Amino acid sequence: MKLLSILVAVALIAIVATEAQTPVAGPLIVPQPQSVNFGDQTLQLNPDKFQIETSSSSQVLAIAIKRYQQLFFLFGAGKSSAPAATLNIKVASEDDTLDFGVSENYTISATTDSLAIMADTVYGAIRGLESFSQMIIYDFASQQYTLPFLPVVIVDFPRFPWRGIMIDSARHFLPAAFIMHTIDALAYNKMNTLHWHVTDGQSYPISSATFPNMTLGAWDPAATFSIADVQEIVAYGKTQGVRVVPEFDVPSHTYSWGAAFPSIISNCPDSFNGNIGQYPLTPANNLTFEVLDALFTEYGGYFIDSYFHTGGDEMPLACWTQDPAIVEWMTDLGWTTVEAEQYFEDRLDAILAPMKKTKLVWNDPFVNGVQLDPTTVIQVWDSSFQDIVNAGFNVIVSYNYYLDQQDPTGTVQWMFENTWTNFYDSDPFDGINSNLDKILGGEACMWGEQVDQLSIDVRVWPRAIGVSERLWSAQNQTDVNNALTRISPFTCRLSQRGIASGPLSADFCMLPDDFESYLRGPRDRLTPDQIKSLLVNNKKQ
């Protein structure tokens, strides 16, 4: 009887979830655009006679157009006798520099006679191409593609300029091809930032020309990123309008650094009961900062973004009181552990300054009492940040967006995938009543202890779709049932593109024959010449 009761309950929940999908009139677009006006006409499309044209000479846009020419028609040519149609793209600026704050605004205007995307920049045009792709419907019975709800005018722009996901390649190695696959998924969701948690206590997987022995701290020689890998990832992100922001977590979470430089690791083995994850660097040895300076300067040349994350979370200050050399150093200076942490953060500022990088940290140093440079951006992983914005710091919100958790906001869902509603209901402004302009946006975090390239997609998607809409769409776009009506077909669309995104209710998702080709890798690969050109040409024109 107990088993029968459980089965009945599950069935009822499934019925409720299905019935909750209230119909939405008009195009089903994710994230929900700021403004959509539509009619009741339909245009039949002929894939063999459909073209995307632009007068822009942007390399980024040319690559995007080639990509979306394929994504528009995933199921082949179909059967159509429709005449030729052309989607015209106009961008106001030829500058394809990718950095924080670049305009992603776009307008779609489509009638049975004219199809157009207008945008400030190529990155707005890319967001417009994604929305346009979601407007195209394929009918499996007739094998025809149509563009319904014409005439349509969409005016769209993001609510927040920083919208991202953090991935962790240290706890479990994620191959470069899979990281680019994740960049694809971010772009499909109109997210613009890949926060790459590169190193941690368990492994140091990224190569260095300055110190080739750093990867002695990797899980295995095969579990490492070459410099060429890093450059391709960054360049690929640019073609999708996705900034790649690296995180090298210091001073804690650095045990793996000791494989190359044992003397820069604090000596406090009794602090962690065998858990190597949080072992910190020592501030008492100047070699620590020489290594940091050399590595960060080198990596700053590969990562073209103007932001550089130095971690700072979960610093076990008690460790420094158990290392005799650090104790002696602090005693000589008359310092507490917080003053030692202050010294460490100040040295990081001095390293990043000539690199012209803005430092990001987790909120821990601020909570500990460290006086951070006013330009520092603080990423918040707990809910107490009114005092942070009151102190004048810009903030990235993550505290309710932890994808590795079963109950990310303290509310347990009966079905795991339904935690997307937890994210959807969590606004970056929650609990904040002043200085809202200091909130730059948010990131969903997928820590890597229990996911690898075989499982991470289904843990992230479709749950993170709730985050993507919360960060893009208008603040008052909060109807979960409305969102479900759009997100259910969108998660199928992601799966059709090779992103292993799970369903949210009982349905059937037809997959194209080649979908498996993209389950572990990117939609496209760049040539060496393209990579070089994309990285060199990221300066304001």
Side-chain angles (χ1 to χ4, degrees):
M1 286 298 294
K2 184 176 182 181
L3 177 59
L4 179 60
S5 298
I6 293 173
L7 292 174
V8 170
V10 171
L12 288 173
I13 289 170
I15 292 171
V16 170
T18 302
E19 292 179 345
Q21 297 183 41
T22 54
V24 176
L28 303 182
I29 298 176
V30 177
Q32 175 67 28
Q34 303 292 338
S35 171
V36 182
N37 291 288
F38 59 92
D40 58 5
Q41 301 175 35
T42 296
L43 175 67
Q44 190 178 116
L45 300 178
N46 186 337
D48 290 333
K49 296 182 178 181
F50 187 91
Q51 293 183 319
I52 306 174
E53 294 183 352
T54 183
S55 61
S56 171
S57 61
S58 165
Q59 179 185 20
V60 170
L61 186 54
I63 292 171
I65 288 173
K66 179 182 177 182
R67 178 170 62 248
Y68 275 97
Q69 188 80 50
Q70 299 171 355
L71 290 173
F72 284 178
F73 308 110
L74 284 178
F75 292 92
K79 296 180 179 179
S80 176
S81 58
T86 300
L87 172 62
N88 288 289
I89 300 177
K90 296 181 180 179
V91 293
S93 172
E94 285 291 296
D95 185 358
D96 60 12
T97 303
L98 180 63
D99 209 344
F100 173 72
V102 66
S103 173
E104 298 169 272
N105 303 355
Y106 71 90
T107 299
I108 293 176
S109 177
T111 70
T112 54
D113 299 317
S114 174
L115 308 174
I117 295 175
M118 292 156 284
D120 295 338
T121 69
V122 298
Y123 302 108
I126 291 173
R127 304 299 177 237
L129 281 165
E130 176 55 37
S131 288
F132 193 92
S133 75
Q134 295 180 37
M135 294 165 57
I136 298 174
I137 304 300
Y138 181 68
D139 183 270
F140 292 97
S142 65
Q143 298 182 45
Q144 293 184 349
Y145 296 91
T146 59
L147 194 64
F149 304 111
L150 302 184
V152 63
V153 175
I154 297 174
V155 178
D156 203 11
F157 51 88
R159 179 183 172 200
F160 291 103
W162 192 299
R163 311 176 310 280
I165 284 181
M166 188 220 75
I167 59 171
D168 174 2
S169 64
R171 274 55 176 262
H172 280 97
F173 180 71
L174 300 172
F178 187 82
I179 292 178
M180 288 184 282
H181 162 92
T182 299
I183 288 173
D184 283 340
L186 289 171
Y188 299 153
N189 283 269
K190 298 190 179 76
M191 287 181 161
N192 66 1
T193 307
L194 176 70
H195 172 173
W196 182 5
H197 186 87
V198 185
T199 65
D200 211 285
Q202 291 82 1
S203 72
Y204 193 104
I206 184 171
S207 299
S208 166
T210 308
F211 299 124
N213 59 345
M214 288 303 299
T215 51
L216 291 173
W219 287 112
D220 186 270
T224 58
F225 302 101
S226 68
I227 294 169
D229 287 336
V230 174
Q231 292 173 323
E232 183 177 10
I233 289 168
V234 173
Y236 190 78
K238 184 176 178 180
T239 69
Q240 296 275 23
V242 175
R243 302 160 47 237
V244 181
V245 177
E247 179 188 351
F248 296 88
D249 198 357
V250 295
S252 186
H253 297 278
T254 53
Y255 184 83
S256 60
W257 298 52
F261 293 98
S263 65
I264 69 174
I265 302 299
S266 302
N267 180 22
C268 51
D270 296 334
S271 295
F272 305 107
N273 297 318
N275 177 12
I276 64 172
Q278 288 181 249
Y279 263 93
L281 298 172
T282 172
N285 185 345
N286 197 57
L287 179 61
T288 298
F289 301 102
E290 292 175 0
V291 170
L292 287 169
D293 192 353
L295 287 173
F296 286 4
T297 300
E298 177 186 352
Y299 294 143
Y302 307 145
F303 292 96
I304 59 178
D305 200 76
S306 60
Y307 289 79
F308 198 94
H309 205 309
T310 60
D313 63 313
E314 298 181 322
M315 173 57 214
L317 295 175
C319 168
W320 284 350
T321 68
Q322 296 169 18
D323 183 320
I326 298 176
V327 171
E328 180 181 2
W329 173 77
M330 289 192 296
T331 300
D332 289 345
L333 293 169
W335 282 356
T336 64
T337 53
V338 172
E339 289 170 315
E341 187 180 17
Q342 178 77 59
Y343 171 76
F344 194 97
E345 293 297 330
D346 289 345
R347 292 291 298 265
L348 291 180
D349 291 338
I351 290 169
L352 294 180
M355 297 165 53
K356 300 189 184 305
K357 301 286 188 181
T358 298
K359 186 171 75 171
L360 282 91
V361 296
W362 297 99
N363 56 261
D364 305 53
F366 179 90
V367 173
N368 289 347
V370 173
Q371 301 299 306
L372 295 167
D373 185 279
T375 63
T376 305
V377 176
I378 299 178
Q379 185 166 3
V380 178
W381 64 269
D382 61 35
S383 60
S384 302
F385 66 99
Q386 180 70 69
D387 54 343
I388 297 177
V389 295
N390 287 349
F393 291 98
N394 287 328
V395 162
I396 306 297
V397 177
S398 291
Y399 72 91
N400 270 346
Y401 301 145
Y402 266 49
L403 296 165
D404 56 315
Q405 294 184 8
Q406 174 70 33
D407 56 343
T409 61
T411 300
V412 179
Q413 298 287 346
W414 182 274
M415 294 183 180
F416 176 72
E417 295 287 27
N418 284 342
T419 51
W420 77 269
T421 62
N422 298 57
F423 303 129
Y424 195 82
D425 288 335
S426 298
D427 194 271
F429 289 172
D430 287 348
I432 302 297
N433 53 34
S434 61
N435 296 307
L436 300 181
D437 61 312
K438 306 305 292 184
I439 299 175
L440 303 182
E443 288 182 358
C445 299
M446 186 67 252
W447 297 101
E449 286 88 348
Q450 294 185 350
V451 292
D452 57 17
Q453 62 173 316
L454 298 179
S455 59
I456 189 170
D457 261 7
V458 294
R459 292 284 294 275
V460 172
W461 312 105
R463 300 164 67 229
I465 299 174
V467 182
S468 71
E469 179 148 315
R470 181 55 45 236
L471 297 176
W472 178 282
S473 303
Q475 185 178 5
N476 63 1
Q477 183 67 39
T478 57
D479 187 334
V480 170
N481 294 332
N482 173 295
L484 183 61
T485 304
R486 291 177 291 102
I487 289 175
S488 282
F490 180 63
T491 187
C492 174
R493 193 181 291 270
L494 290 180
S495 296
Q496 291 169 341
R497 297 176 177 185
I499 308 300
S501 182
L504 290 171
S505 59
D507 63 5
F508 174 68
C509 180
M510 180 70 78
L511 300 176
D513 292 337
D514 65 348
F515 84 99
E516 292 183 341
S517 302
Y518 306 106
L519 284 174
R520 301 286 175 260
R523 194 79 202 174
D524 303 295
R525 295 303 287 259
L526 301 174
T527 67
D529 286 344
Q530 286 177 316
I531 294 169
K532 181 178 180 181
S533 176
L534 287 162
L535 295 179
V536 169
N537 296 325
N538 200 62
K539 297 179 180 179
K540 294 288 185 183
Q541 296 177 358

